[in-house]
Amino acid sequence: MNDLVRQHTALSDTDLEWLHLLVSEWQLLSDLSFADLVLWVPTRDGTRYVSVAQMRPNTGPTSYQDDMVGHLVPRGRRPLLDAALDEGRIVREGDPEWREEVPVRVESIPVRREGRVLGVIARNTNLLTVRTPSRLELTYLQSASDLAQMIAAGSFPFPGQQVDMDASPRVGDGLIRLDADGVVQYASPNGLSAYHRLGLASDLVGHHLGRTTAELAPSRGPVDEALVKLASGYAPREFEVECAGGVIQLRAIPLKPKGVRIGSLVLLRDVTELRRRERELITKDATIREIHHRVKNNLQTVAALLRLQARRMDSEQGREALNEAVRRVGSIAIVHETLSQNLDERVEFDEIADRVIAMVAEISPGRVTCRRTGRFGILDAEVATPLAMVLTEVLQNALEHAFTVGQTGTVEVSAVRGGSSAEARLLITVQDDGCGLPEGFDPQRAGNLGLQIVRTLVEGELSGSFGMVPAPGRGTQVVLDIPVRAEK
């Protein structure tokens, strides 16, 4: 719609925002009218109309099989559009049109904002299935007529009341029509069922909806007065009512077709099962985070025990092996600590990488500088855990073997994400400027435990590739290429 309006019309950005607000709400008008809606806006030169939006009803058959958005029609071809635009009134005169052997009644509703008519809604009703209307259908049509008059007067949609139509109740979910005093004139079967779920034992018609709702809801003192007002439909609001029997979501729409409130429309939906599932998910999320937290604590306990054992070792080689194990356990604990703070099983790995680098750098304080460039991004937990351990092993290997005692140098960790969303990859390079690889050294066959861990994790768990080659100029370069899920 943005492109069509800016390309063909002279409407301002604020006018366009009003049209967006209207389109976010007009599924309600379409369903109440049992009709298709097409929004026509006059072009910049005033000689044509361009259709910028279209809506089909959920409550009846469509009048348009084809998509109308983007169509241009010259002024004069559709007299009802001209009359609504020029006179600023709802135009219903005219005989039904025949489209593919289907009779269609066409009405035009001017879209007004601050006294100006921005465009016209063509309301097209398929007459093929017309029958004697029921009380429900009559209520729908009367409510649609009131809303159409409010659109023509510029009082609907309500400014500042952007509605999420995916989450809000729809016409078919349940509808209650109130008079100006908040007394129920009509309640649809779904609307009545929702109130029965809350504990209502009688019919709703003739009862004051606000007071009835407050009586059904648990007593909350002064809040009850606000609930009475909300459920009486005095203001456009969306709210929920919960009691032991269930939860219903309500949306109140004041009806002011001539500027004075004549009543209200209340849409409602039983969301008891939806809220129960949401609570279950919240409980499961909390449980998963608690598990990660406990795993982290247990790993830190294991690391502390290994550290204590290392201090009591007489063998330098044994002490160093235990310290390496401490760092391996610590890298896994860092991942679980991060997961314990998230709502899903994905983590921002840059923070983990920085903590792993800082932990491993303690091997040679002051001699070698470790730094990170690039960005790892968000990774799944099943990738983050083995990758943290791989990074620990590679860095540990570089700091222990690339530099002689007292030698200064640099180890740089570089991360680059690339590839398409379907085949995203993470390329990690760990490069040092140390003494380089020994002559004849083959990283794929080396018996070093750290390199065995790296090969197993990268090629087995991460389905990636691992390479260790002389760095350009001086030192050693380790390259890891790992498939990852695209960031969202």
Side-chain angles (χ1 to χ4, degrees), residues 147-167:
L147 284 177
Q149 292 183 56
M150 291 170 66
I151 292 173
S155 57
F156 186 83
F158 303 108
Q161 291 289 322
Q162 187 77 33
V163 175
D164 181 2
M165 292 306 297
D166 291 332

Side-chain angles (χ1 to χ4, degrees), residues 87-106:
E87 301 173 23
R89 66 179 179 88
I90 298 175
V91 182
R92 296 188 175 93
E93 304 88 20
D95 297 326
E97 297 181 4
W98 287 83
R99 299 175 189 160
E100 299 180 0
E101 301 183 355
V102 175
V104 177
R105 181 176 66 243
V106 181

Side-chain angles (χ1 to χ4, degrees), residues 181-193:
D181 297 322
V183 177
V184 178
Q185 294 179 310
Y186 174 79
S188 71
N190 284 346
L192 187 58
S193 295

Side-chain angles (χ1 to χ4, degrees), residues 303-332:
L305 291 173
L306 291 173
R307 197 175 291 112
L308 286 172
Q309 187 65 42
R311 290 172 183 168
R312 287 164 171 76
M313 290 288 291
D314 295 329
S315 168
E316 181 64 30
Q317 186 176 3
R319 185 161 47 249
E320 185 55 38
L322 287 175
N323 285 331
E324 287 182 3
V326 168
R327 287 187 285 272
R328 287 164 185 153
V329 172
S331 66
I332 301 173

Side-chain angles (χ1 to χ4, degrees), residues 201-426:
S202 61
D203 195 2
L204 268 174
V205 176
H207 290 75
H208 190 279
L209 187 66
R211 289 195 288 270
T212 301
T213 304
E215 290 170 2
L216 294 171
S219 179
R220 294 174 293 178
V223 180
D224 291 345
E225 297 180 11
L227 183 59
V228 170
K229 277 283 189 184
L230 288 172
S232 299
Y234 284 94
R237 292 288 186 273
E238 198 167 303
F239 57 98
E240 288 188 3
V241 177
E242 180 174 2
C243 67
V247 185
I248 61 171
Q249 181 184 17
L250 299 96
R251 182 189 175 200
I253 303 169
L255 297 175
K256 303 176 181 179
K258 296 182 180 179
V260 178
R261 194 174 73 86
I262 62 168
S264 303
L265 198 63
V266 177
L267 304 180
L268 64 158
R269 178 172 59 174
D270 184 347
V271 292
T272 305
E273 186 64 20
L274 180 63
R275 295 295 174 261
R276 184 187 68 80
R277 291 180 181 178
E278 286 178 352
R279 291 189 185 102
E280 285 184 354
L281 288 174
I282 291 171
T283 301
K284 288 178 181 177
D285 285 341
T287 302
I288 291 171
R289 279 185 285 170
E290 178 62 21
I291 289 171
H292 284 303
H293 182 70
R294 293 189 182 188
V295 170
K296 182 264 295 184
N297 288 344
N298 290 339
L299 289 172
Q300 288 181 336
T301 301
V302 171
L305 291 173
L306 291 173
R307 197 175 291 112
L308 286 172
Q309 187 65 42
R311 290 172 183 168
R312 287 164 171 76
M313 290 288 291
D314 295 329
S315 168
E316 181 64 30
Q317 186 176 3
R319 185 161 47 249
E320 185 55 38
L322 287 175
N323 285 331
E324 287 182 3
V326 168
R327 287 187 285 272
R328 287 164 185 153
V329 172
S331 66
I332 301 173
I334 290 171
V335 176
H336 281 282
E337 182 180 2
T338 306
L339 287 169
S340 70
Q341 300 168 0
N342 291 343
L343 292 176
D344 56 19
E345 290 290 288
R346 307 195 78 193
V347 296
E348 178 64 62
F349 196 80
D350 293 321
E351 179 185 349
I352 294 174
D354 290 340
R355 292 179 64 181
V356 166
I357 291 170
M359 178 183 68
V360 178
E362 294 175 359
I363 298 174
S364 53
R367 291 193 302 113
V368 179
T369 301
C370 296
R371 62 170 178 259
R372 173 179 65 85
T373 61
R375 181 172 173 270
F376 287 86
I378 298 173
L379 300 177
D380 294 331
E382 57 264 28
V383 173
T385 302
L387 182 57
M389 200 164 179
V390 166
L391 191 59
T392 300
E393 294 298 331
V394 173
L395 286 169
Q396 194 166 269
N397 192 66
L399 291 171
E400 286 183 352
H401 303 294
F403 304 95
T404 60
V405 177
Q407 182 181 357
T408 60
T410 302
V411 178
E412 181 174 310
V413 180
S414 171
V416 178
R417 293 185 76 131
S420 63
S421 58
E423 298 180 353
R425 303 194 72 83
L426 176 61

